[in-house]
Amino acid sequence: MSHRPKWWRRLAVPMSALLLAGGLAGPAEAGGPTAVVVDTARGQGDVVSFTFDDGPNPPDTLRLLDVLRRRHVRAVFCLWGDHVVEHPEVARRIAAAGHVLCNHSMHHDDVGPWTPEQIRADLIETSAAIRRAVPHARIPYFRAPYGSWGQSPQVAAELGMQPLGWRMDIADWEPPGTDVLVQRLRERITPGAVVLMHDGGGDRSQTVEAVDRIIPELRAQGWRFTLPRRRG
């Protein structure tokens, strides 16, 4: 789904907003986020992390939550701020189900060319929107739209969020059919991969069906489903 960048004015960020976005913990603090983009799942051997972008998006996000609950898989949901504002109840459902939240920008703009000040304003606005829907939510990750990072990894780390990339993208933004998506997952997953899929940005029913089909197949082969690493 294509979205042209919207250029933000340089904003003065109040201290209260900075604290809301994730605190003042920076990469220099022991155990804090780093500016290194994480693309690896936790654990050793045949482990994989599922991540979903561009929601919340009813009804597909709700159906996906049902699939993950039945299959006992915990995932990361990279939330598009505008969609959180539109569907706060779905964002609450994601958090209540025990999944991990990720800041995916407010308007899904290309932040690659932006200044640190523009990036910081956007990430703070997005985290604030998420926390209006899900009070006191932890938002440990940030993912740049389109994988266009620019200076955002350093800014995200300064705001307490680890930049989250991916090692495999099933290219489900133009749905090719459930069977094709299942085959891509079957053929392309490698040990330790963070996998990028979408629950929003369009009709994602094929992705939901593919996830429902591939989880028991992978589990039968000895794969374990974990979260991405906490630090780069």
Side-chain angles (χ1 to χ4, degrees):
M1 187 175 182
S2 175
H3 296 271
R4 296 190 177 189
K6 294 170 72 175
W7 295 100
W8 281 70
R9 297 187 303 273
R10 181 175 179 139
L11 300 175
V13 179
M15 184 65 69
S16 59
L18 183 58
L19 289 168
L20 181 63
L24 293 173
E29 183 176 326
T34 73
V36 177
V37 179
V38 167
D39 65 0
T40 305
R42 300 177 197 174
Q44 303 296 321
D46 290 338
V47 294
V48 63
S49 293
F50 280 1
T51 67
F52 299 94
D53 283 13
D54 296 355
N57 171 44
D60 293 326
T61 301
L62 295 175
R63 291 183 57 239
L64 178 61
L65 290 174
D66 287 341
V67 167
L68 297 175
R69 176 186 53 78
R70 286 191 289 103
R71 300 299 188 187
H72 305 289
V73 171
R74 191 176 178 211
V76 178
F77 284 79
C78 300
L79 303 180
W80 180 334
D82 288 328
H83 294 170
V84 173
V85 173
E86 293 169 0
H87 306 292
E89 73 288 350
V90 182
R92 287 192 286 273
R93 288 277 296 274
I94 294 169
H99 298 292
V100 176
L101 306 184
C102 170
N103 181 319
H104 194 40
S105 84
M106 194 67 200
H107 308 293
H108 208 275
D109 292 329
D110 180 353
V111 304
W114 287 10
T115 66
E117 291 81 6
Q118 290 171 313
I119 296 167
R120 183 180 299 270
D122 185 278
L123 269 58
I124 287 173
E125 181 182 11
T126 308
S127 289
I130 293 171
R131 289 196 175 102
R132 281 195 298 272
V134 188
H136 312 297
R138 287 189 65 253
I139 309 171
Y141 297 105
F142 164 73
R143 174 174 281 165
Y146 315 108
S148 180
W149 293 98
Q151 299 183 73
S152 66
Q154 182 64 40
V155 174
E158 291 170 355
L159 293 175
M161 294 179 287
Q162 181 65 43
L164 176 62
W166 60 90
R167 196 180 295 176
M168 177 201 161
D169 180 354
I170 66 169
D172 59 349
W173 57 86
E174 292 182 357
T178 301
D179 289 343
V180 174
L181 294 177
V182 170
Q183 191 64 23
R184 289 175 183 173
L185 287 163
R186 185 180 292 135
E187 293 177 348
R188 300 181 188 179
I189 285 179
T190 57
V194 171
V195 180
L196 168 61
M197 294 177 276
H198 293 81
D199 65 313
D203 180 353
R204 302 303 176 207
S205 57
Q206 292 180 11
T207 300
V208 175
E209 293 296 332
V211 169
D212 196 18
R213 285 170 52 182
I214 199 65
I215 290 172
E217 180 177 322
L218 291 174
R219 192 167 268 143
Q221 296 171 6
W223 288 84
R224 292 176 292 119
F225 296 88
T226 68
L227 294 174
R229 288 185 179 172
R230 296 181 179 88
R231 303 287 178 262

